[in-house]
Each structure stands twice: as structure tokens, then as C-alpha cells.
Amino acid sequence: MHIASSATDDNYLIGSKCQSCGAMAFPKRVICHKCLSDNVVEIPLSKRGKLASFVVAWAAPEGFQPPMMLGYIDLPEGVRVLSMVTGCEPSKDALKPGQEMELVFEELRTDQNRNNIVAFKFKPVTRRRES
Amino acid sequence: MREVVVAGVGVHKFGKFIDKSLKDLGRVALKNALDDAGLTAKDIQAAFFGNAYGGLITGQESVRGQTILLHSGISGIPVLNVENACASGSSAFREAWLSVACGLYDVALALGVEKLYCDNTPKTMAAIITSSDLEIVGDTGWSFPTWYALKARMYMREYGATQEHYAKVVVKNTKNGALNPHAQFHKPMTMEEVLESREVCYPLTLYMCSAIGDGAAAAVLCSKDIAQKLQKKPMVTVAASALTSATFQNDPKKPTAVGSTGYIAAKLAYEQAGVGPEDIDVIEIHDAFAPAELTAYEEIGLCGDGEGIRLIEEGKTEIGGEIPVNTSGGLASKGHPVGATGLAQIAEVVWQLRGEAGPRQIAGRNKRRGPVLGLTHNGGGTLEGDAAAMAVHILRRI
């Protein structure tokens, strides 16, 4: 993932695109998973996608607080991303497959050297009120 | 390649044994397998040791096989440590088969042992999560239940499966497990008990998830020449051994068994054995989480995409059904001591083919002849939304 380093910069996920056959991948690859070409370039991925499936986990690995939500988000580039889901109350009926989701970056934890570990998540797109 | 016979199988009961070490568990399974074969530790020429999390749970990260086997009187021979997550046991079995099939050795051992219960569930869970690509999923809060649940919800939406179908898998398997002295749990579960147990990750309830456990299982493999001198029991051979790994894929698609590791391994195994799914008499499936049993029916060709629902609805995979699956009780009853699981599946199929499964014994497709062919399906870890390692074996009574 790319974290913004200035006010004009942006946060986004980095995928890869094969220059030989066009196949897209996330996380980025150094070799194309379809044609095995190494002519692969990094590309920024769309920040919006559609929810393919989601779940609420009532038990979580250490460092995570249950209940927590995870989902598969299908991006328009043709990649399916596994991601934490945020921005709604954890419930098995909170979201609907096909629903539009958008990328957010959130602080996950602080490591032993007091560095902030940032993770990407997706949250449901809420309709903004027209002004 | 020459024909290889599974001369003996043995297990250490699956359960939670806080006071037993990997050595204690392994020794019992090994002795039972050697006794079953009519061989001794001195007869073993090569050994393949399956274990996944011994390093993380006990600290014994290296030379696990050598330490455990030396303790049981097996030393001075090639010992190979095999780690393939939940498919470690069947991967060790495959290596033992290969070493005899190619003619390098006449008698080889596959031993799978696991100690997962350490009275520290977060430690056990942290160990299990390492059977994935940690660089990708490590900071997502991912765990195996979430993976199976994400897949199960997509399957439900696409094919109309309900939580009741998944509960029915547990009801069937725990009914079988009640008849298996080696299982961790002997209580048959009702639909209500499964559905009303604690929600772990919808649609998964607690009893749809295989339990943490300890255990060991072993198989002694030998050439047919040697087996003919030994065996008083019906002879069971390895008709096929297929192992594959996950491929790069992360494109959005509807749930399908076609192209999955289970599908590919089963196809390879059927080709190798010269048989089809319609010929198999008994099957052990990797039901680490109940929904996986239905999709595994589809992977191994018992039915098409989405039709696993009908197989469980119609009782076709019960002990008295057309094609019994998980007569041992599956992972639902046995629990899942990872490195031992695949070899315990092999042991169950050998017992079924020999007619030694007691109250769990199946009649076979041809009731006069009894069961002839059995299949095991054992997946390990996950990558790219599929099993990282997948082993399918077909055994044949001759």
C-alpha cells in the first residue's frame, strides 16, 4: 500500500499489471500469475469496489479486538482483496453483497519501537447529502 | 514404479493430553502400526515425519522426527521432516509411498504427530495462523474460521445452502464418531445442539469447527514381495497418490470447485488409479470446518457445483448411504491434531477396506465383495483462497 507523504499525495493500494497479457494482481507480483512474464508494472488500484462476501468474527488473533469484520472486496481492475471492514456495527446482516465499499487507512497498533502500524480497511460508502 | 502395500496402520487416540509429549503420542501410534504390520522398529529402512506446529507449541523447531523416532527405537536410517500444515500427515505418507514405489527402500514409515493443546488458546491460534501468507493476511485479523466463513457465505448465496445444511454435516459425522474409539468426542450432536452452539463466525457455530487436539497416526508401507510374506490380513495397496499446491489467483469469480486444488488432486488421483468417483466405496474428507465437506464433495467429483447440498440432504454420505463420507467421525469428532490428521484418514480407510471398522463398517458398493476402493482428501494451509497443500490418496484392497 502507498501512504500519502504530502498534502497533494494520496493513499492507495498498489497492485500490478502484466504488460504482456494484461492480468492484474493484488498484492503486487514480480511475475504474472497467468502468463509468467516478468514484464510486470506496479499500478495504483481503485479506491472503491464492491463487497463480494463479509463475516463477523467473534474470536480474533492476538492484537485484534473481536467482534471484527472481514470481507472480500472486488475492485474494478478485476482483483479480489481480503480486507478488514470498518465503518459499521459488526453484525452478520450489517452489509449486503454487491454494496459499494471504499478504502480507508487506519492505525492498527504500535510496534515495540513505538512505530505506528497502519492497515488498510474498507468501509461502506455512505451517500453524501447534496449541498 | 512398483506396487506398494500399506502393511500396517495405527493411531494414538485423539484428544487433549496436557501431560503427554510428542514422543509419548508418536510411540503409541508407531507401535500400533508396527504390530498391525507384523514388523519391528528394526525393519524400518526410511521414515517420514509429519508435524506442523511442534516448533511453535513445544519449542522443538528442528529435527522433530529424529528426536521422536530415536525415542521409539528407530535410528540410524534416513529421517525426513515433512511440514505441509494440515496436510503434513498425508504428505509424509506420500513420501514413504514414493520411497518404496521407486525401489529405493522395501519398508518405510510415515508417522504424523501433533500437540496443539497447551492450555493457551491464543498460542495455539497464533501457531495455526502461520499456515498462510503472513505478509498478506498478518495485519488483516484473518484466521481460518473467517476464511471458511467467507467462502461459505458466498456458497450459500450462490447455491442456496443454509446453516442447517452445514449443521447436518456435523450431525452425520458426530453420529459416526460416537462409534470410533480413537475419536476425541463420542457424543452424537443434534441439529439443535449444533445450531445453538456459540457463533464463531456466521455461518460457523462452535460445533461446526474442528476442535484443538493432540494425537498421532502412523502407516508402515512395504513392497508387495515383503507384504506377501507378512500378511494374514486382506492386502491394501496405494492405488494413487496426488499432491498439489495453490496457484496464483485472486480474480473475482463465483464459487466453483473446478480448478481448485482438491479438484486437481482428485483428478490426478483418479487418472493414476484408473478409476472414477463412481467406483469409490468410502471417503475421508478434510472437514476442518463443516462447510468444507460440501465443497469437497464437489472437488472430488461426487457431484457438480452446488450439488453437495443435495448429497447431505438425501443422506447419501451416511454410513448406510450410497457413498459414505467420514465414517471415522471426521475432524468434527476426532478434533484436528494437524500433523496426524491425514494419516488417521488413511488408517480409517485401511480398516474399512479390510472389514475391520467394527460398528462403523460399511458394506461397499458391491455388498457381496465388500468395499474395494477408498479415498482420502487432506488439505493444508491456505494461499490465494485455496488450500496451500492438497493431498488425495486412493487405496485399493487386492
Side-chain angles (χ1 to χ4, degrees):
Chain A
M1 57 194 203
H2 175 84
I3 297 174
S5 56
S6 70
T8 53
D9 200 359
D10 202 2
N11 294 328
Y12 56 85
L13 296 178
I14 304 168
S16 58
K17 181 177 186 177
C18 174
Q19 298 297 88
S20 300
C21 77
M24 309 287 293
F26 176 81
K28 63 176 182 178
R29 314 267 189 220
V30 290
I31 284 180
C32 174
H33 60 285
K34 291 243 163 78
C35 74
L36 302 183
S37 163
D38 57 5
N39 188 8
V40 167
V41 294
E42 286 186 11
I43 53 151
L45 293 173
S46 298
K47 295 166 73 172
R48 284 195 177 191
K50 284 191 168 25
L51 185 70
S53 184
F54 77 99
V55 292
V56 181
W58 293 94
E62 265 188 307
F64 295 87
Q65 190 57 45
M68 60 174 291
M69 294 175 78
L70 275 99
Y72 281 134
I73 290 90
D74 291 345
L75 300 184
E77 288 83 2
V79 292
R80 178 166 285 172
V81 177
L82 172 76
S83 172
M84 274 186 277
V85 170
T86 186
C88 55
E89 276 301 304
S91 146
K92 70 180 175 65
D93 303 312
L95 301 168
K96 283 198 164 50
Q99 185 169 343
E100 202 169 356
M101 306 288 287
E102 68 181 335
L103 179 73
V104 288
F105 282 25
E106 282 180 10
E107 197 176 301
L108 190 61
R109 59 189 155 82
T110 308
D111 76 3
Q112 57 205 12
N113 298 322
R114 294 186 188 168
N115 295 313
N116 289 338
I117 306 294
V118 172
F120 68 86
K121 299 180 183 181
F122 275 83
K123 67 167 191 179
V125 173
T126 46
R127 211 168 280 163
R128 287 194 191 91
R129 196 174 293 167
E130 302 280 331
S131 56
Chain B
M1 292 288 221
R2 59 177 173 167
E3 208 165 12
V4 176
V5 175
V6 188
V9 289
V11 302
H12 181 294
K13 182 185 171 0
F14 285 13
K16 294 182 173 69
F17 307 108
I18 195 81
D19 56 337
K20 289 194 180 184
S21 67
L22 287 168
K23 288 174 183 168
D24 298 332
L25 298 166
R27 200 165 68 88
V28 172
L30 171 63
K31 185 180 184 315
N32 289 341
L34 286 170
D35 288 351
D36 188 40
L39 290 164
T40 68
K42 284 192 172 50
D43 298 311
I44 304 294
Q45 297 167 348
F48 300 87
F49 181 74
N51 173 265
Y53 309 121
L56 292 166
I57 300 293
T58 71
Q60 183 72 51
E61 171 62 18
S62 190
V63 293
R64 281 171 249 166
Q66 287 86 340
T67 54
I68 284 144
L69 288 164
L70 183 72
H71 178 77
S72 297
I74 292 179
S75 58
I77 60 163
V79 173
L80 194 72
N81 290 285
V82 181
E83 191 280 295
N84 251 350
C86 312
S88 297
S90 46
S91 299
F93 180 82
R94 174 180 162 82
E95 291 305 305
W97 162 75
L98 199 53
S99 77
V100 177
C102 73
L104 192 57
Y105 304 109
D106 289 321
V107 185
L109 167 76
L111 172 64
V113 190
E114 201 75 54
K115 259 199 82 62
L116 273 177
Y117 183 65
C118 55
D119 207 13
N120 182 349
T121 305
K123 184 176 176 179
T124 302
M125 299 322 287
I128 294 170
I129 286 169
T130 64
S131 294
S132 62
D133 186 336
L134 288 177
E135 279 189 19
I136 296 177
V137 303
D139 280 338
T140 63
W142 179 94
S143 61
F144 274 89
T146 61
W147 175 47
Y148 279 94
L150 281 164
K151 281 175 62 159
R153 284 199 94 169
M154 284 198 278
Y155 183 87
M156 291 165 87
R157 188 157 178 262
E158 188 69 32
Y159 300 112
T162 63
Q163 212 182 12
E164 282 74 16
H165 290 117
Y166 299 145
K168 194 142 194 254
V169 171
V170 181
V171 171
K172 169 182 76 71
N173 290 350
T174 56
K175 187 173 149 197
N176 299 348
L179 307 172
N180 183 357
H182 308 295
Q184 179 171 181
F185 306 109
H186 295 110
K187 184 183 177 316
M189 295 284 175
T190 64
M191 287 290 280
E192 293 69 33
E193 282 170 319
V194 179
L195 291 169
E196 285 161 19
S197 64
R198 180 162 58 82
E199 184 179 313
V200 173
C201 188
Y202 180 87
L204 303 176
T205 63
L206 184 67
Y207 294 145
M208 293 182 197
C209 310
S210 59
I212 288 169
D214 310 328
V220 177
L221 294 91
C222 68
S223 65
K224 205 170 167 189
D225 294 351
I226 289 192
Q228 275 161 346
K229 289 176 203 151
L230 292 172
Q231 290 276 358
K232 287 163 239 47
K233 296 177 176 175
M235 205 180 283
V236 174
T237 63
V238 182
S241 171
L243 177 68
T244 189
S245 59
T247 54
F248 278 134
Q249 51 177 310
N250 57 4
D251 38 333
K253 60 180 179 192
K254 70 171 199 175
T256 176
V258 178
S260 66
T261 51
Y263 177 89
I264 290 164
K267 194 163 173 287
L268 289 168
Y270 290 133
E271 281 167 14
Q272 208 178 325
V275 300
E278 66 284 356
D279 301 312
I280 305 292
D281 295 285
V282 63
I283 295 170
E284 286 287 304
I285 266 174
H286 194 77
D287 61 324
F289 295 85
E293 180 162 320
L294 299 192
T295 43
Y297 294 166
E298 298 161 16
E299 290 169 16
I300 62 172
L302 296 184
C303 58
D305 280 339
E307 293 170 7
I309 300 167
R310 220 181 52 229
L311 285 193
I312 195 73
E313 265 178 1
E314 293 172 0
K316 289 214 158 74
T317 53
E318 305 242 2
I319 281 183
E322 200 175 290
I323 175 63
V325 173
N326 283 336
T327 57
S328 68
L331 280 53
S333 285
K334 285 185 294 190
H336 188 16
V338 170
T341 291
L343 278 156
Q345 291 180 327
I346 298 275
E348 176 70 8
V349 167
V350 168
W351 292 325
Q352 287 286 358
L353 297 183
R354 285 184 189 159
E356 294 176 352
R360 309 188 305 287
Q361 185 61 48
I362 61 146
R365 287 186 187 268
N366 179 334
K367 292 187 174 43
R368 195 176 51 79
R369 219 172 141 212
V372 174
L373 287 162
L375 180 147
T376 62
H377 161 282
N378 184 208
T382 175
L383 285 180
E384 299 283 321
D386 199 349
M390 175 61 76
V392 171
H393 284 94
I394 298 176
L395 304 183
R396 178 188 276 129
R397 177 169 55 83
I398 58 169

